[in-house]
Amino acid sequence: MRLLFTFIVLSSIHLAHGQNYLLPLWKDQVPNQQKTKEVESRDTTDAVRIAYVQNPTIEVYLPGKSQATGQAVVICPGGGYSILAYDKEGTDIAKLLNGQGIAGIVLKYRLPKSQSNIVPHQSALMDAQQAMKLVRANADKWNIDPDKVGVIGFSAGGHLASTLGTHFDDESRPDFMALIYPVISMDTEITHMGSRKNLIGETPTEELVRLYSNELQVQVNTPPTFILHMMDDQVVPVENSLRFYEALRKADVPTEMHLYPAGGHGFGLAIGRGHLASWTDRLIEWLQHLD
């Protein structure tokens, strides 16, 4: 009886805090995909790392209805366009947002190094655009304002997020974006070479380099942007964020940037990392004061 009571109480607590959904991104055939013998891999040794994504999904974390602000954020985990740091830069972030009444939608997007892609560099952006459309299509059901749907991305996921924020149609444009230690440019002087090679290959054309150098793609309708980077980042140089900030400023796009002197790369929530852990407070404050 005591075990049954405990189960009922825990179930009630879960429902009070909201609901989770796992949905396929594409209803029928996944675009830009060919049949191969590849299978998705998931390493859970010390964190959740996903590779060779075959069936892209969104994992939806909703706050309790009474707490919902109407905001929603599509979350793009990083991993150099090779793997997805699915919990550290995905589900952990969704849970943080839920605590502030914000829906968190974790995107499991296809990675360009997979042989299942027909045109490797196109799949991740296709998935991100579809995620935005799917969230807005379910806005009423999920207590989301369709005009308050943004994107956050980490590292290579930050590149995907900034690509979404600069390469969009009317239905897939994010209302805001947050870029956390992001890859922005394909310029060999400042890019993360692993991400560049995985996305556009060893010897890309100048057209592809320019297309995915998102500091060159900023327009006046690029959404309001939050940027966070560490000055001592040895993986993705801070110049990525600096160049993007300057492009946003020139286009009069509302932008807030935070540069920390130290902290490195890939720290996720930065729990136990002193004042670095306060970066999430800055993000939440920014989200709360968006128009």
Side-chain angles (χ1 to χ4, degrees):
M1 179 63 73
R2 180 174 296 177
L3 287 174
L4 177 61
F5 175 76
T6 302
F7 174 77
I8 293 172
V9 170
L10 290 175
S11 298
S12 299
I13 292 172
H14 172 75
L15 291 174
H17 281 78
Q19 295 176 297
N20 295 4
Y21 300 90
L22 182 64
L23 299 177
L25 201 55
W26 302 96
K27 180 180 278 189
D28 300 310
Q29 176 64 34
V30 178
N32 195 43
Q33 188 178 67
Q34 58 193 352
K35 287 188 177 181
T36 68
K37 294 182 179 180
E38 270 187 353
V39 295
E40 180 175 306
S41 67
R42 184 178 291 244
D43 178 5
T44 58
T45 304
D46 58 347
V48 180
R49 299 180 181 88
I50 301 175
Y52 303 106
V53 173
Q54 304 297 307
N55 298 301
T57 61
I58 54 173
E59 187 168 356
V60 182
Y61 286 76
L62 300 178
K65 188 173 182 178
S66 64
Q67 304 298 315
T69 65
Q71 282 183 321
V73 181
V74 173
I75 303 164
C76 303
Y81 281 122
S82 177
I83 59 98
L84 301 179
Y86 194 77
D87 54 353
K88 186 178 183 180
E89 297 173 349
T91 55
D92 287 355
I93 307 303
K95 294 168 186 175
L96 169 79
L97 294 171
N98 271 193
Q100 301 297 323
I102 303 166
I105 291 78
V106 185
L107 175 61
K108 187 181 76 171
Y109 57 91
R110 286 171 290 162
L111 297 159
K113 65 184 297 183
S114 169
Q115 295 177 358
S116 299
N117 295 299
I118 297 173
V119 182
H121 67 84
Q122 292 180 352
S123 292
L125 180 57
M126 285 181 173
D127 290 348
Q129 291 172 334
Q130 177 66 6
M132 294 296 296
K133 295 173 183 178
L134 192 55
V135 172
R136 289 191 172 116
N138 286 279
D140 286 346
K141 185 193 306 184
W142 295 343
N143 301 305
I144 290 169
D145 183 335
D147 295 323
K148 294 182 178 180
V149 182
V151 64
I152 186 172
F154 297 76
S155 194
H159 184 267
L160 178 56
S162 66
T163 305
L164 179 64
T166 53
H167 303 64
F168 53 78
D169 56 30
D170 289 341
E171 293 182 336
S172 67
R173 177 187 181 273
D175 295 302
F176 53 87
M177 60 179 170
L179 310 175
I180 314 303
Y181 40 84
V183 179
I184 294 292
S185 184
M186 294 291 106
D187 183 342
T188 55
E189 291 186 1
I190 66 169
T191 193
H192 175 245
M193 288 302 297
S195 296
R196 173 183 151 127
K197 289 177 182 178
N198 285 329
L199 182 63
I200 58 177
E202 293 275 358
T203 56
T205 63
E206 284 301 316
E207 181 182 9
L208 268 185
V209 170
R210 184 174 182 84
L211 181 67
Y212 287 110
S213 291
N214 292 325
E215 77 277 18
L216 305 178
Q217 304 299 328
V218 171
Q219 303 175 45
V220 293
N221 60 345
T222 298
T225 303
F226 175 97
I227 303 172
L228 176 84
H229 219 120
M230 305 299 110
M231 298 290 288
D232 68 344
D233 192 330
Q234 299 298 308
V235 179
V236 178
V238 69
E239 282 76 14
N240 282 267
S241 288
L242 294 174
R243 284 194 190 179
F244 199 60
Y245 174 81
E246 184 61 19
L248 293 165
R249 190 187 67 80
K250 288 181 178 178
D252 290 325
V253 175
T255 308
E256 179 173 318
M257 181 166 66
H258 295 268
L259 301 179
Y260 284 58
H265 187 81
F267 45 76
L269 293 175
I271 294 172
R273 296 284 300 275
H275 86 290
L276 183 57
S278 69
W279 81 261
T280 57
D281 296 332
R282 306 291 80 76
L283 173 66
I284 296 302
E285 290 167 356
W286 181 77
L287 290 171
Q288 290 172 340
H289 289 90
L290 284 172
D291 292 336

